Amino acid sequence: MDLLPQPIVAQAEAQLAAAQSQQLAAESNLTTTRANFRRIVGNEPEQLAPASPVDRYLPETLPGAIALSLKENPNVTAAMFGIDVNFLNVKVNEGALFPTVTLLASVQKSSQQTITTPRQFAAAAIAQVTVPIYQGGAEYSLIRQSKETLEQQRLSLEQVRDQARADLVTAWGQLLAGKSQIASTEAQVSASEVALTGVRKEASVGQRTTLDVLNAQQALVNARVALVTAQHDRVVASYAVLNVVGRLSPQVLHLAGAAYDPSVHYHQVRDNWFGVRTPDGR
């Protein structure tokens, strides 16, 4: 048997070392991913299956997705609630300029105080109206401040909407690119398989070396890795779009398990004027 030239052997050893390094890096990433899975889900990963995109829950067009994100994006919703809160703060501060009406009532009944007055009943009611005239200007300053804060919150809402629009366009573009990339990598895998078959046949008749076969096998492996990566990126991009439009929720995805509803706790405690016990008895 003829020995391979020294440069070819060194090249093969270099590729082997690089492959071993990539394997170690992949094992490290796998350990980190398992730990993150345990932290988020609550149990160790078992019987995992490839994820599927959630395109069926997405709007069909980009304009429709943009319109939905400007209304249902979580950040947009929070900013809109912030406007409501600041508007109510303006009304509360304006209440310091309104008249104040105070009503005091008392009832007193006594028996056998003296022989001449065996029983006595007394009732009194006092109404007091206070009209603020001048209080140093603090109330007016607070009202102006709350109005400026309200306007600032409205400007913040526009910024949040612009950011939501930008995030959606980016995620939508990544989703379209992921679909195209999958088609390209599938073609790359098919071409690499045909190339590997041809190199093996040529090697069987002495026209190719063992290193050529190994290189063709490596090209096929790289193409398959690229395909899996593209499939992963496509799934992540679909979830990113779903998140930006504000529909990444257990109800939309029909996940098993009870979903948290904050209105339930609100209705349980809204009529409790006193007491320290929570609805679960703590």
Side-chain angles (χ1 to χ4, degrees):
M1 178 183 294
D2 295 335
L3 296 178
L4 293 175
Q6 188 66 25
I8 297 180
V9 175
Q11 184 180 2
E13 291 177 349
Q15 293 179 354
L16 175 61
Q20 292 174 343
S21 177
Q22 294 176 358
Q23 179 183 359
L24 294 175
E27 291 176 353
S28 177
N29 293 334
L30 177 60
T31 302
T32 302
T33 304
R34 287 181 178 273
N36 291 332
F37 186 95
R38 177 67 174 82
R39 175 179 58 85
I40 297 174
V41 179
N43 56 269
E44 297 295 334
E46 297 179 358
Q47 298 180 352
L48 298 180
S52 59
V54 289
D55 294 353
R56 58 189 179 279
Y57 303 122
L58 299 178
E60 297 181 356
T61 61
L62 179 58
I66 292 177
L68 190 62
S69 67
L70 297 181
K71 295 180 180 179
E72 299 185 11
N73 183 277
N75 296 330
V76 174
T77 303
M80 295 176 64
F81 283 129
I83 291 179
D84 295 338
V85 171
N86 284 276
F87 178 78
L88 293 177
N89 286 335
V90 173
K91 295 302 180 182
V92 170
N93 294 330
E94 289 178 346
L97 303 178
F98 296 159
T100 303
V101 179
T102 304
L103 179 62
L104 300 177
S106 62
V107 177
Q108 183 178 2
K109 180 179 180 182
S110 60
S111 301
Q112 297 180 354
Q113 286 188 344
T114 61
I115 297 176
T116 57
T117 56
R119 293 183 180 180
Q120 185 177 8
F121 178 83
I126 300 176
Q128 181 179 1
V129 179
T130 303
V131 179
I133 298 177
Y134 180 73
Q135 298 172 306
E139 290 77 8
Y140 298 97
S141 176
L142 188 60
I143 292 173
R144 292 194 300 269
Q145 178 183 356
S146 59
K147 288 182 177 181
E148 294 292 344
T149 304
L150 175 59
E151 188 62 24
Q152 180 182 5
Q153 185 64 35
R154 287 173 177 167
L155 294 176
S156 177
L157 174 60
E158 296 303 321
Q159 293 178 350
V160 171
R161 283 177 171 171
D162 291 340
Q163 185 63 46
R165 180 193 298 268
D167 293 341
L168 176 61
V169 173
T170 301
W172 191 274
Q174 292 175 350
L175 179 60
L176 296 180
K179 295 178 180 179
S180 301
Q181 190 174 6
I182 288 178
S184 299
T185 51
E186 287 178 346
Q188 182 182 358
V189 170
S190 300
S192 298
E193 291 176 348
V194 174
L196 177 59
T197 302
V199 171
R200 284 176 174 173
K201 290 182 178 180
E202 291 176 354
S204 63
V205 295
Q207 294 182 352
R208 291 294 184 117
T209 64
T210 304
L211 183 59
D212 294 333
V213 176
L214 294 177
N215 290 336
Q217 291 177 341
Q218 183 63 45
L220 177 59
V221 171
N222 293 339
R224 290 174 176 173
V225 171
L227 176 59
V228 174
T229 303
Q231 293 172 345
H232 163 270
D233 294 342
R234 192 224 187 287
V235 173
V236 173
S238 66
Y239 276 93
V241 174
L242 191 66
N243 177 48
V244 176
V245 299
R247 292 190 173 181
L248 185 59
S249 64
Q251 294 83 356
V252 174
L253 298 177
H254 304 290
L255 300 180
Y260 174 72
D261 186 1
S263 62
V264 175
H265 181 79
Y266 166 74
H267 288 289
Q268 289 175 339
V269 301
R270 66 174 182 173
D271 296 329
N272 293 345
W273 295 99
F274 60 89
V276 296
R277 296 178 64 85
T278 59
D280 59 1
R282 292 180 292 175

